[in-house]
Amino acid sequence: TRPGWRWPAALLPAAMAASTWAQGAPDSAAIVRSLARPAPAATAFVEVRDSPLLREPLRVSGEYRRPDANTLVREVREPYRETTTLREGEAVLAREGRPERRFALSRAPELAALQGSFGALLAGDAAALRRHYTVDAQGSAQHWSLRLVPRDPELAARLRDLVLHGHGDQLHCIENTPVKGDPRRTLMGPAAEAATRAGDSADIAALCRGDAGAG
């Protein structure tokens, strides 16, 4: 069975970390610990981008993979094929029909933030996450959100915040809000499957935030 973001039976005791905050206000450190996933891990995603130039939101689907603790792979399968590999301070971009590109993550703060935030989340390392973002938790164990505001001035000039939505030990959506432009929502796992059937932007936003049930 392909590794996923749901806890395998052998690791269920670790997932009980969420129980420490289930009866009270959400604790960001406990939420992050509950999201830890040992490598290798993989999850399907659907990224939805709004634009006034489009009649309907653009949907990009594929899979995130973490083959080892130091590597993050974003593979796009529809509507085009592209693989981005982030490892050891470098990004490798391979798109069908085009030459491979390599560049330092220092030139792409958004990609560096993606690797840093995913790495910290999948490691369950709340301290590492706080080195890069201020973190605010809202909601309950059944329906929580984490708002991440970048500390790095260069990234903050481009990215207003990231808001993570989930329930229990499941992360099902990330809202990426740039300083300029429209929000971008990335739905994962069962929420990604539901996003392929959802209608307009309002449906996607509700699904992302859990208002429409993400499984």
Side-chain angles (χ1 to χ4, degrees):
T1 302
R2 184 179 63 188
W5 279 41
R6 290 190 179 278
W7 284 105
L11 296 177
L12 282 175
M16 295 305 292
S19 66
T20 62
W21 51 276
Q23 302 302 319
D27 179 315
S28 61
I31 293 173
V32 173
R33 285 195 300 271
S34 77
L35 295 176
R37 300 293 185 269
T43 187
F45 76 87
V46 172
E47 183 180 286
V48 183
R49 307 174 187 175
D50 286 316
S51 171
L53 302 178
L54 301 174
R55 292 184 177 180
E56 60 183 35
L58 173 65
R59 302 184 193 205
V60 176
S61 62
E63 185 177 68
Y64 275 108
R65 296 194 303 275
R66 187 172 176 249
D68 58 63
N70 300 313
T71 305
L72 179 66
V73 179
R74 179 181 183 271
E75 181 183 357
V76 175
R77 296 171 180 167
E78 295 289 344
Y80 53 86
R81 300 189 70 84
E82 178 183 88
T83 301
T84 304
T85 303
L86 309 181
R87 180 180 174 85
E88 296 180 349
E90 183 182 59
V92 179
L93 179 63
R95 186 161 183 174
E96 194 172 49
R98 298 184 182 181
E100 182 179 274
R101 294 174 54 208
R102 292 175 176 266
F103 52 90
L105 286 178
S106 59
R107 293 174 48 202
E110 293 92 343
L111 289 178
L114 175 67
Q115 185 182 37
S117 57
F118 260 88
L121 289 170
L122 295 175
D125 191 342
L129 196 65
R130 289 199 184 98
R131 282 198 292 271
H132 300 286
Y133 302 91
T134 61
V135 182
D136 178 53
Q138 299 290 331
S140 66
Q142 290 71 38
H143 185 180
W144 52 260
S145 65
L146 290 177
R147 181 171 182 254
L148 311 181
V149 178
R151 296 182 183 275
D152 178 71
E154 184 177 359
L155 180 59
R158 305 184 188 189
L159 177 67
R160 190 183 309 278
D161 62 24
L162 297 170
V163 181
L164 284 56
H165 300 277
H167 55 277
D169 66 350
Q170 299 297 312
L171 170 65
H172 65 248
C173 184
I174 299 176
E175 288 186 289
N176 177 323
T177 304
V179 171
K180 297 180 180 179
D182 297 299
R184 183 164 49 189
R185 297 179 174 93
T186 302
L187 298 103
M188 300 177 178
E193 296 173 13
T196 63
R197 303 186 298 272
D200 59 16
S201 298
D203 293 335
I204 292 293
L207 182 63
C208 180
R209 296 168 186 166
D211 299 335

